[in-house]
Amino acid sequence: IAGITQAPTSQILAAGRRMTLRCTQDMRHNAMYWYRQDLGLGLRLIHYSNTAGTTGKGEVPDGYSVSRANTDDFPLTLASAVPSQTSVYFCASSAQGDTGELFFGEGSRLTVL
Amino acid sequence: EDQVTQSPEALRLQEGESSSLNCSYTVSGLRGLFWYRQDPGKGPEFLFTLYSAGEEKEKERLKATLTKKESFLHITAPKPEDSATYLCAGAHSGNTPLVFGKGTRLSVIA
């Protein structure tokens, strides 16, 4: 079944370590997004990409970086993890950047100790 | 600043008891208002898009409506399987990403 694949599904990480969350889509969608979801705060946009080769900052980009070398992949990197980055991370894609129909992955639960 | 506010935060209904969820927005030049459903441990799943005031969309027991300032998700005769968190999102014109509300957690009790 076509869709979005995120890895890992769950990870416990020591503070200060580097971590990359992987996201791959097979729908040939142009736009991709990374959100974090925290209790009481809802879904907040970290970074996005409207097309391969371009990226943009969302609401909470500090401490995170992304790259979009090709259409299918959109990895999210935490250069030096901190406990406040403990969250559930969702990757999503849409056919174009100007559509609101996003397809979400199943999420990656990250705990930073 | 674009904002999307949902109410109530949580709603508990008896099976068959109809109700409505509210989403108010302050998004300049709104290009669309979007509803999603999220089940525990899963990613959100797209439900509806509304583009202009007066527009309505329906799917099974759900009906979404839009006015100039807010949107409602009406749930008619809900069943336990309708229990989920319902998210509302908006975006202004262009390629700007969605801004999500914090969601309404709906529980339908048999």
Side-chain angles (χ1 to χ4, degrees), chain A:
Chain A
I1 296 176
I4 293 214
T5 302
Q6 291 186 235
T9 56
S10 182
Q11 181 77 43
I12 298 173
L13 188 66
R17 296 297 296 268
R18 180 185 179 89
M19 177 73 192
T20 295
L21 303 181
R22 301 185 298 279
C23 175
T24 300
Q25 54 105 355
D26 59 4
M27 297 174 283
R28 306 303 293 173
H29 283 173
N30 282 320
M32 297 187 75
Y33 314 85
W34 274 106
Y35 288 88
R36 61 177 288 176
Q37 188 171 41
D38 303 286
L39 196 63
L41 297 176
L43 276 167
R44 293 181 293 167
L45 183 68
I46 304 171
H47 285 287
Y48 67 97
S49 168
N50 282 328
T51 189
T54 69
T55 62
K57 292 182 180 181
E59 180 185 357
V60 288
D62 294 343
Y64 306 94
S65 63
V66 291
S67 61
R68 187 89 185 278
N70 57 61
T71 297
D72 299 340
D73 302 299
F74 192 44
L76 177 74
T77 297
L78 290 66
S80 179
V82 295
S84 62
Q85 292 177 311
T86 294
S87 186
V88 181
Y89 291 86
F90 287 100
C91 180
S93 71
S94 63
Q96 303 295 340
D98 61 353
T99 175
E101 185 175 352
L102 271 57
F103 294 80
F104 282 84
E106 295 289 270
S108 294
R109 181 175 294 275
L110 183 65
T111 302
V112 183
L113 300 177

Side-chain angles (χ1 to χ4, degrees), chain B residues 33-66:
Chain B
L33 191 292
F34 310 92
W35 283 96
Y36 285 78
R37 170 188 170 130
Q38 186 175 21
D39 293 304
K42 303 286 187 181
E45 180 181 345
F46 172 79
L47 289 173
F48 302 113
T49 302
L50 301 165
Y51 289 112
S52 56
E55 189 174 359
E56 297 182 353
K57 293 278 180 68
E58 285 189 65
K59 181 179 181 179
E60 295 181 355
R61 294 174 292 282
L62 300 177
K63 183 169 78 172
T65 62
L66 182 65

